[in-house]
Amino acid sequence: MSPSKIYELTQKQREAWRLLEDEKYRRYLFDGGARSGKTDGTIAWLIYQASRFPGARILVARWRLDHARTTLWNLTLKKLLPPGCCGARYLEAPMECRFPNGSVIRVGGLDDAERVDKILGDEYLHIFINEATQVNPKGPRHWLHQVGVQHILPDPDSRKAVPLPDASAWARLHWTPYDNPYLPEDAIRTLEALPGIMRRRMLLGEWCNNEGMVYDGFDPEIHGFDRLPEGSEQWKRIRSIDFGYTNPFCCLWGAVDGDGRLWVYRELYERGKRADELAPRILQAEGGIGETVADPEDAEARAVLASAGLPTTPARKAVIPGIQAVQRRLAMAGDSRPRLMVSSHCPNLVNEFYEYRWEEHRDGRNDREAPRKEHDHAMDALRYMVMAVDSPATYSAMPLPGTGGGGDGILPREEWDGDAPEEPF
C-alpha cells in the first residue's frame, strides 16, 4: 500500500476551499500578506482535485521558472505530496507530478515566450498563477487589483473605469499572517517590525508598493486634484516637452498660483507622431502660455516647433538636481500642503510616478545613483517644468515682435505678454 499524508487546513484555508468549491465562481483572487497560507492551501486543493478527477491537467506557474522550481515544485508540491505518497510520481525535466488515475500537475515559468506558448498549448482543468503581481509592479493600479478587487476593466486611466462584465464570476479572499496559526511567533514579530510600506504590504497585505520608486512620497490622495481652483484663470502658465516618436512625446501644462504652488493640469502623450503634427494640437489646446521648455538635446525638433509658431526654451536637464527639486515640491510645505499638484486628467503622468524607479545596485558595485531609463517621458517633462519654475533663467527664447516666431530675438521674462488663458476644463 502506498504511503498517505494528512494535511490539516487552517480556518482561512477552509474558507478558501469553500469558495473554490462554489460553482458560481470561476475566477479567484487570494491576496494579502506573506506566509499566510495562501499557496499551501491552494496547492493542497489542486492535489485534491487531481486525485478526484481522473485525467485532469492542472497548471501551477510563477513568473520566473527558477522561482517556480524552488518554491512551487520543491518546497510546496513535494512537501504536501511527497514522492510516492498516494502513488504520485515526479518527473523532474518537465516538472510534472503524475497521479495513478492519469491526472497531471505541471509546474512552469512564464518568463519565456516560447515556453509560455508550449504550456498554453494544452487545456487545463485549473490554472493557478502564484505571485501574479510579479508580472507587473505591485500596487493599487495593478491590473489584477482593478479586476479582482475593484471589478473594473483594466485601464491606466482611472477616469475610464468600466464595470467588469463577469464580476459575478470573481471571488476574492484577503489573507494576513495572523490567519496562519502554524507561523512561529518570531516570524510574526519580524513582519511587525518591518518599516512603513513593507509592513503594510507584507504584514497587512495592502496593495501598495514604493520599493525603488524615485518619488515614493507621491500620493494621489494628497497631490491629486480634478479641477483647477476658482481664480486660476489669472495664474502664470508654463508648458514642458519631452520629445519622442517611437517612445512617447509628452507635453505638460502647468499653472503657478500666488503661493508658488505648481498645478500640472493637462498632458499630451502620444507615440508615432512627429513634432510638426503635434504642434497645432499644442497651440490649439490653450493660448497665453508664458514659456515652453523642452529637451535641449533635440535641436531639430525644437526648430520644427519654432517654425510652427511654438518657440521653446532649452530645459535644464540635470537629472539628480531635477529629481531633488520635484521631491522638494512633493513634500508638505508650511501650510501642510504640497507645492506640486497633479490633475487626474493626466493619467500617463500619474502612472509614471508609480513606474519610475531607481536602478538596482549590483552586488559588490558602488553604482552611481540614477533612475532607470524607462517610464520616464512624463517624468522628464515634469522635471523640466519644475526646474524652470524654481530656477528661472534671466532670459528665455521668446520671439521679439515682428520676428515671425523663428528669429533670434529674446525678451526678458518680465516683459512677456499674452492673453489670459482659458479655464482648461
Side-chain angles (χ1 to χ4, degrees):
M1 179 180 293
S2 62
S4 62
K5 182 178 178 68
I6 297 176
Y7 181 82
E8 186 174 348
L9 298 173
T10 67
Q11 181 178 348
K12 195 72 171 188
Q13 289 170 337
R14 291 181 184 277
E15 186 179 349
W17 276 43
R18 285 193 293 270
L19 286 176
L20 290 167
E21 295 287 345
D22 193 327
E23 294 183 355
K24 69 173 176 282
Y25 300 120
R26 294 188 57 81
R27 297 174 179 83
Y28 306 86
L29 174 62
F30 293 165
D31 63 309
R35 305 190 67 183
S36 54
K38 301 186 296 294
T39 301
D40 278 11
T42 303
I43 290 185
W45 183 78
L46 294 174
I47 292 172
Y48 168 66
Q49 291 284 292
S51 62
R52 181 182 176 189
F53 297 103
R57 297 187 64 82
I58 296 171
L59 174 65
V60 178
R62 283 187 66 151
W63 171 241
R64 294 185 61 87
L65 178 63
D66 54 347
H67 293 172
R69 184 181 303 278
T70 300
T71 62
L72 299 176
W73 180 251
N74 289 321
L75 298 181
T76 306
L77 189 56
K78 290 181 180 179
K79 176 189 71 174
L80 297 176
L81 186 67
C85 179
C86 303
R89 293 187 303 116
Y90 284 87
L91 305 182
E92 294 294 334
M95 281 202 292
E96 290 183 351
C97 175
R98 297 188 177 179
F99 292 72
N101 66 357
S103 293
V104 176
I105 295 180
R106 174 186 288 180
V107 175
L110 306 177
D111 54 349
D112 178 81
E114 184 176 346
R115 187 189 310 122
V116 170
D117 287 342
K118 183 177 180 181
I119 289 174
L120 297 183
D122 289 331
E123 293 184 354
Y124 298 97
L125 177 64
H126 302 296
I127 297 177
F128 169 42
I129 307 299
N130 182 242
E131 297 291 347
T133 54
Q134 290 182 344
V135 180
N136 295 102
K138 309 171 186 68
R141 302 179 75 82
H142 191 286
W143 68 268
L144 196 54
H145 184 272
Q146 293 180 319
V147 169
V149 179
Q150 298 174 290
H151 289 173
I152 60 175
L153 291 175
D155 196 306
D157 188 347
S158 58
R159 298 172 299 161
K160 299 178 180 178
V162 176
L164 195 66
D166 63 346
S168 60
W170 278 83
R172 180 206 179 193
L173 188 62
H174 185 264
W175 308 55
T176 75
Y178 299 114
D179 293 319
N180 186 354
Y182 306 116
L183 197 60
E185 281 295 321
D186 61 341
I188 292 288
R189 287 195 296 270
T190 298
L191 292 170
E192 290 175 336
L194 290 173
I197 202 79
M198 291 183 66
R199 183 180 187 276
R200 290 174 56 195
R201 183 161 58 87
M202 303 294 286
L203 178 68
L204 304 180
E206 296 182 11
W207 286 76
C208 55
N209 179 41
N210 70 348
E211 184 178 348
M213 284 177 59
V214 172
Y215 300 119
D216 56 3
F218 174 75
D219 185 341
E221 297 296 323
I222 297 172
H223 301 96
F225 70 97
D226 293 323
R227 294 180 61 86
L228 287 170
E230 186 176 350
S232 61
E233 298 85 356
Q234 303 305 316
W235 294 353
K236 294 181 180 179
R237 306 286 168 124
I238 184 171
R239 278 185 300 242
S240 60
I241 294 174
D242 185 63
F243 295 108
Y245 183 83
T246 303
N247 292 318
F249 176 109
C250 181
C251 179
L252 300 177
W253 282 256
V256 182
D257 67 18
D259 295 324
R261 186 169 286 106
L262 174 61
W263 302 68
V264 183
Y265 60 90
R266 180 185 285 126
E267 69 173 29
L268 175 64
Y269 196 90
E270 293 275 0
R271 283 185 174 89
K273 298 287 187 181
R274 301 186 310 272
D276 62 303
E277 295 177 285
L278 294 172
R281 292 174 57 184
I282 295 172
L283 292 169
Q284 291 167 10
E286 181 178 347
I289 302 297
E291 179 185 20
T292 301
V293 294
D295 185 346
E297 294 185 2
D298 197 334
E300 181 179 353
R302 292 184 57 234
V304 169
L305 292 183
S307 65
L310 205 169
T312 60
T313 302
R316 298 180 178 218
K317 198 169 179 176
V319 176
I320 298 303
I323 288 174
Q324 292 170 343
V326 174
Q327 289 172 333
R328 285 193 295 270
R329 280 192 165 270
L330 289 172
M332 294 298 176
D335 59 359
S336 299
R337 298 173 62 198
R339 297 179 62 247
L340 174 63
M341 305 295 292
V342 178
S343 172
S344 60
H345 296 265
C346 301
N348 293 289
L349 175 59
V350 172
N351 284 341
E352 286 196 10
F353 266 112
Y354 287 101
E355 305 286 357
Y356 193 44
R357 296 177 181 268
W358 296 110
E359 285 282 8
E360 295 181 3
H361 289 267
R362 290 167 288 183
D363 293 340
R365 297 287 301 274
N366 185 21
D367 293 342
R368 181 175 62 89
E369 186 177 56
R372 297 178 188 170
K373 285 299 297 176
E374 57 184 14
H375 308 298
D376 59 354
H377 311 289
M379 292 291 94
D380 287 351
L382 177 66
R383 197 176 72 245
Y384 302 158
M385 180 179 291
V386 169
M387 289 292 278
V389 171
D390 290 354
S391 306
T394 303
Y395 292 90
S396 293
M398 287 288 291
L400 286 172
T403 61
D408 297 326
I410 55 176
L411 283 176
R413 281 177 193 265
E414 58 271 17
E415 295 182 27
W416 293 0
D417 190 16
D419 299 330
E422 298 178 357
E423 172 63 35
F425 307 119

